[in-house]
């Protein structure tokens, strides 16, 4: 079903142990969300046998997540991109700066007032884009966008797989309301019975 809105844009910093397994910090609000666009890249293999296509495999490779926001505070840009403040409090972006991956969470409203919730487990961002325009006969808002590469996480789940996204919609069968009440208190960890 279609979505009609997007809000509650959060990020959580990641720390990695010696094996690269992720531990997520407490989620922080990133900005007010304007837009989100996900493009997924797949690795595909086709096996032909007996003069026809016998097996098709499509595995997740990576994704590109473009986020439009009302503004990106200095602290958020620093956390996402590795930029630093100089002694005068000026944000400095250097060609050698590499941001650490973060988890990204948000929700999208659906018709009927329910929401679909998301966590992307590992997103590596570049520097935000900037579009500026002079005022003419009318005023047009210019807002930043930031593009990140969505990766699978290093830490495997209890089934030995490496998730890249968690997604759930209010009203889904068997999903308790408490799931949504605590969605932004921590990054969701998969649970298997």
């Amino acid at each position: 079903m279609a979505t009609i809105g997007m809000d509650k844009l959060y990020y959580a910093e990641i720390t990695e142990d010696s094996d690269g397994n992720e531990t997520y910090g407490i989620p922080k609000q990133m900005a007010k969300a304007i837009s989100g666009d996900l493009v997924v890249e797949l690795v595909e293999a086709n096996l032909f046998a007996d003069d026809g296509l016998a097996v098709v495999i499509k595995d997740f490779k990576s994704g590109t997540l473009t986020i439009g926001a009302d503004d990106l505070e200095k602290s958020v840009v620093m956390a996402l991109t590795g930029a630093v403040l100089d002694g005068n409090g000026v944000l400095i972006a250097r060609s050698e700066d590499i941001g650490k991956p973060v988890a990204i969470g948000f929700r999208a409203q659906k018709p009927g007032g329910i929401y679909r919730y998301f966590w992307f487990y590992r997103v590596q961002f570049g520097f935000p884009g900037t579009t500026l325009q002079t005022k003419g006969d009318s005023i047009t808002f210019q807002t930043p966008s930031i593009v990140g590469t969505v990766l699978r996480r290093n830490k495997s789940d209890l089934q030995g797989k490496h998730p890249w996204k968690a997604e759930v919609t209010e009203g889904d069968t068997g999903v308790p309301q408490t799931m949504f009440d605590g969605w932004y208190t921590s990054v969701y960890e998969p649970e298997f019975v």
Side-chain angles (χ1 to χ4, degrees), residues 1 3 7 10 26 31 51-52 58 63 88-89 92 120 132 135 139 142 159 164-165 169 172 176 183-184 187:
M1 187 183 298
T3 58
D7 67 357
Y10 280 73
I26 297 172
D51 294 332
K58 295 184 181 205
N88 294 314
I92 305 297
F120 293 90
L132 304 171
K135 292 187 284 183
I139 296 173
Q142 305 299 317
Q159 294 183 337
W164 61 275
K165 176 178 79 163
T169 302
D172 282 353
W183 193 255
Y184 299 105
V187 175

Side-chain angles (χ1 to χ4, degrees), residues 3 24 39 49 89 92 100 104 111 117 119 125 136 138 141 159 187-188 193:
T3 58
Y24 299 101
V39 177
I92 305 297
K100 295 181 179 179
I104 297 293
Y117 291 76
W119 272 111
F125 283 100
S138 63
F141 286 103
Q159 294 183 337
V187 175
Y188 178 76
V193 181

Side-chain angles (χ1 to χ4, degrees), residues 14-32:
I14 296 173
T15 42
E16 296 180 16
D17 65 17
S18 59
D19 294 326
N21 292 325
E22 298 88 354
T23 302
Y24 299 101
I26 297 172
K28 301 173 190 171
Q29 186 162 17
M30 184 172 151
K32 291 183 179 180

Side-chain angles (χ1 to χ4, degrees), residues 9 12 22 25 70 72 81 99 107 114 123 145-146 168 179 193:
L9 179 58
E22 298 88 354
D70 68 330
L72 294 173
T81 69
R107 69 182 189 172
I114 62 174
V123 183
S145 64
I146 189 164
V168 65
M179 175 72 59
V193 181

